[in-house]
Amino acid sequence: MVTVNLKSLLIFSAFLRLFLIIYGEWQDTHMEVRYTDVDYLVFSDAAALVAAGKSPYQRSTYRYSPLIAFLLVPNSFIHPSWGKFIFSASDLLVGFLINAILKLRGVPEKLCTYSVMVWLLNPFTFTIGTRGNCEPIICAIILWIILCLMNGKTSSTF
């Protein structure tokens, strides 16, 4: 029987997300139906405004935190898919945090790994970040807060 550890699961999941981001670029270029989430285009436009020293809210349909626009400023000068990599990395962080929380709760290693697999290999979750939706960041922040509370870190001094 093949055993899977957290490191190999995270590496495989990272390559899967990388493949989907690259595939999404191809689909956006060659097919009528786009892979990229329409909100990602809004995020990118707002980030371009921020890069130009303007408010992200000058984009008429921008209704998100300005932090998303600031986070995606490199879309303008590194690569238009920068944000998809950030969102996908956040998705991987969610898997890591799920594992950490379950270990703190005393869950057996095998069940921890299966639980992380349910997140990282779920088609619903891995397409969200690779299409350019920022939800994985929110999930990671919530789990990080839970982990901090479990460790008794309730102040800003870590």
Side-chain angles (χ1 to χ4, degrees), residues 40 43-53 69-83 86:
Y40 188 74
F43 297 154
S44 296
D45 289 349
L49 288 168
V50 169
F70 282 101
L71 191 62
L72 270 60
V73 165
N75 275 13
S76 300
F77 58 87
I78 292 179
H79 192 274
S81 291
W82 168 265
I86 296 296

Side-chain angles (χ1 to χ4, degrees), residues 11-120:
I11 290 170
F12 175 78
S13 297
F15 279 114
L16 174 63
R17 283 154 178 78
L18 174 64
F19 170 78
L20 286 171
I21 291 169
I22 293 168
Y23 168 77
E25 292 290 318
W26 179 86
Q27 181 174 329
D28 288 349
T29 305
H30 294 91
M31 297 181 142
E32 187 176 337
V33 177
R34 295 181 55 85
Y35 183 80
T36 300
D37 190 320
V38 70
D39 285 340
Y40 188 74
L41 304 175
V42 175
F43 297 154
S44 296
D45 289 349
L49 288 168
V50 169
K54 299 176 182 176
S55 169
Y57 297 104
Q58 286 184 291
R59 171 65 155 91
S60 63
T61 58
Y62 192 76
R63 62 188 190 281
Y64 308 96
S65 166
L67 297 176
I68 299 290
F70 282 101
L71 191 62
L72 270 60
V73 165
N75 275 13
S76 300
F77 58 87
I78 292 179
H79 192 274
S81 291
W82 168 265
K84 293 178 184 179
F85 287 102
I86 296 296
F87 301 153
S88 294
S90 298
D91 198 33
L92 296 172
L93 179 60
V94 168
F96 180 81
L97 292 171
I98 288 170
N99 187 66
I101 289 168
L102 292 176
K103 282 190 173 208
L104 276 177
R105 299 285 301 160
V107 174
E109 184 72 31
K110 194 172 184 178
L111 187 54
C112 288
T113 303
Y114 287 148
S115 299
V116 173
M117 287 173 77
V118 167
W119 179 267
L120 292 177

